[in-house]
Amino acid sequence: MKITIDIDCTPEEARTFLGLPDVKTLQDAMMAQVQAKLEEQVEAMDPATLMKTWVTPGMDNLGQMQKAFWEAAVSGGAAGSKDTE
């Protein structure tokens, strides 16, 4: 035997019927905080700032950076490991 019940109500009506609390004000406050933090982080993600963070002071020119990337690719991504044959 199979019984199907269709209930047509809004989320607010269902929440009230089930006795659940309305957390919309809390959710709005938390989302505002999350948005503010994300906006702060986006400012730190401009290309110039990222390159200053990623490139160490010893890697002043593009050639050194390319060499470091190539060595990492050849060694399988393991930092500082070289093939010893």
Side-chain angles (χ1 to χ4, degrees), residues 6-63:
D6 292 326
I7 299 174
D8 185 19
C9 66
T10 66
E12 184 178 336
E13 292 171 338
R15 185 174 47 248
T16 303
F17 177 76
L18 295 172
L20 299 173
D22 185 13
V23 294
K24 180 158 177 40
T25 55
L26 176 63
Q27 183 182 17
D28 290 341
M30 292 301 293
M31 289 306 294
Q33 287 181 1
V34 168
Q35 182 177 359
K37 291 214 181 264
L38 281 174
E39 288 173 356
E40 289 174 12
Q41 295 302 317
V42 166
E43 291 174 7
M45 293 187 67
D46 67 89
T49 305
L50 286 176
M51 288 307 290
K52 287 179 185 176
T53 303
W54 290 347
V55 178
T56 61
M59 299 175 73
D60 292 332
N61 63 29
L62 181 60

Side-chain angles (χ1 to χ4, degrees), residues 56-79:
T56 61
M59 299 175 73
D60 292 332
N61 63 29
L62 181 60
Q64 289 176 331
M65 189 166 70
Q66 286 176 337
K67 183 179 175 186
F69 285 140
W70 180 254
E71 288 176 359
V74 170
S75 68

